[in-house]
Amino acid sequence: MRVIITKDYDQMSLWAANYVAQRIVEKNPTQENPFVLGCPTGSSPLGLYRNLIKLYESGRISFQNVVTFNMDEYVNLPVDHPQSYHSFMWNNFFSHIDIKKENVHILNGNATDLMKECEDYEKAIEAVGGIDLFMGGVGPDGHLAFNEPGSSLGSRTRVKSLTTNTIQANSRFFDNDVNKVPRQSLTVGVGTVMAAKEVLIVCNGPQKSNALHHIIEEGVNHMWTASALQMHQHGIIVCDEDATVDLRTSTYQYFKDIQQAELDKYINLY
């Protein structure tokens, strides 16, 4: 697992966007052999998406032959609801790039048969040859997508009940009213994410520092589901200085020393 420590949120977002863009460029995707990108929602990846949009607008990257699979979606929330993840992705990313609508895959939380929807999602990922790079964020409790503490590290796309803590945390997007927050979601599993060829997780802010400590310095643990990244052959965490305050000094210095060249490379790439 690689850990890239950047000075702040803006630099973290720029590094991550340049890295993702370079991976797409290197594959030189075609319609027959697309680049398959896993996409998260939430506040952490917003800067990443803004930088990818800038790279598209400057002509450095195209998404014409990129196929996307989103991590999750609420159950029984209308697709056009401002807090649905469909709305989030189109408002903050897809509407600003040249991606083809038929190449966008987001779980349907209003499907008649939710279990079949999840099974079909896994089959769709398999049909395109798997995910080349899965981007992600991490919660303060170390959760990945809606795989909250206690989730199986081998889990696949499924229906998931949300914890009280998650409902309370997400209420800020629903007029601070917990009664408006959906109680269930559809989410890719930890196993789904870990099956990707590469995984890149962004982690920012002091509120994520305890999670980063557990993900990096403690063992793999289903109570901190993002810690599964330790087992991935090509896993990367990109964080800002604020997120490192709970790391041991020796851990912090180790990653600062060995990743300096990588930090410089992708900050200055475009």
Side-chain angles (χ1 to χ4, degrees):
M1 179 173 64
R2 296 161 58 193
V3 179
I4 307 297
I5 300 173
T6 62
K7 67 178 181 179
D8 54 25
Y9 178 81
D10 288 341
Q11 191 179 76
M12 178 195 77
S13 301
L14 176 62
W15 192 98
N18 283 346
Y19 185 89
V20 172
Q22 184 64 13
R23 284 293 177 267
I24 296 173
V25 169
E26 287 172 351
K27 183 167 182 177
N28 191 23
T30 63
Q31 184 174 345
E32 295 74 25
N33 185 31
F35 188 94
V36 186
L37 184 66
C39 296
T41 55
S43 57
S44 292
L46 282 173
L48 165 56
Y49 288 143
R50 284 194 292 266
N51 279 284
L52 285 174
I53 292 167
K54 289 179 182 178
L55 290 172
Y56 160 70
E57 291 175 339
S58 66
R60 292 182 172 90
I61 186 173
S62 170
F63 294 88
Q64 278 281 314
N65 294 313
V66 172
V67 173
T68 64
F69 287 87
N70 256 74
M71 280 188 157
D72 41 29
E73 179 57 287
Y74 288 114
V75 169
N76 292 332
L77 196 67
V79 169
D80 58 357
H81 189 285
Q83 295 306 326
S84 77
Y85 292 154
H86 280 75
S87 293
F88 177 97
M89 291 305 301
W90 285 101
N91 291 339
N92 292 295
F93 189 36
F94 295 147
S95 294
H96 306 280
I97 58 176
D98 61 342
I99 195 165
K100 299 172 183 175
K101 189 172 183 179
E102 61 268 25
N103 285 348
V104 171
H105 299 82
I106 305 177
L107 284 155
N108 179 10
N110 297 288
T112 303
D113 187 336
L114 294 177
M115 291 184 65
K116 185 177 185 300
E117 172 68 12
C118 295
E119 292 170 359
D120 289 346
Y121 205 68
E122 289 282 339
K123 291 176 182 177
I125 293 173
E126 183 179 354
V128 294
I131 291 174
D132 289 300
L133 191 156
F134 221 133
M135 304 181 294
V138 61
D141 59 1
H143 74 257
L144 186 62
F146 273 123
N147 296 286
E148 299 182 293
S151 296
S152 167
L153 299 183
S155 57
R156 292 288 178 164
T157 304
R158 66 206 187 285
V159 183
K160 197 78 171 64
S161 295
L162 305 185
T163 66
T164 300
N165 285 342
T166 295
I167 291 170
Q168 290 175 341
N170 288 1
S171 67
R172 68 188 188 276
F173 302 118
F174 293 85
D175 303 322
N176 291 311
D177 186 349
V178 295
N179 295 313
K180 293 182 180 180
V181 184
R183 265 42 185 176
Q184 288 186 312
S185 70
L186 303 184
T187 182
V188 296
V190 179
T192 310
V193 177
M194 292 301 118
K197 298 177 183 69
E198 286 190 86
V199 180
L200 183 150
I201 291 177
V202 292
C203 179
N204 64 286
Q207 74 278 9
K208 306 288 182 68
S209 61
N210 189 41
L212 188 64
H213 155 68
H214 280 86
I215 293 166
I216 294 175
E217 295 184 314
E218 302 295 333
V220 177
N221 190 326
H222 68 296
M223 298 307 293
W224 302 84
T225 53
S227 68
L229 195 65
Q230 294 180 32
M231 304 296 291
H232 200 283
Q233 188 175 3
H234 298 291
I236 305 174
I237 294 178
V238 192
C239 60
D240 62 7
E241 290 280 352
D242 286 345
T244 68
V245 296
D246 283 343
L247 295 183
R248 300 183 188 97
T249 301
S250 57
T251 302
Y252 172 87
Q253 197 58 54
Y254 170 77
F255 285 114
K256 286 286 284 188
D257 287 346
I258 67 171
Q259 300 295 355
Q260 186 59 51
E262 285 292 291
L263 175 63
D264 294 340
K265 177 181 177 180
Y266 289 102
I267 286 297
N268 303 312
L269 183 60
Y270 292 106

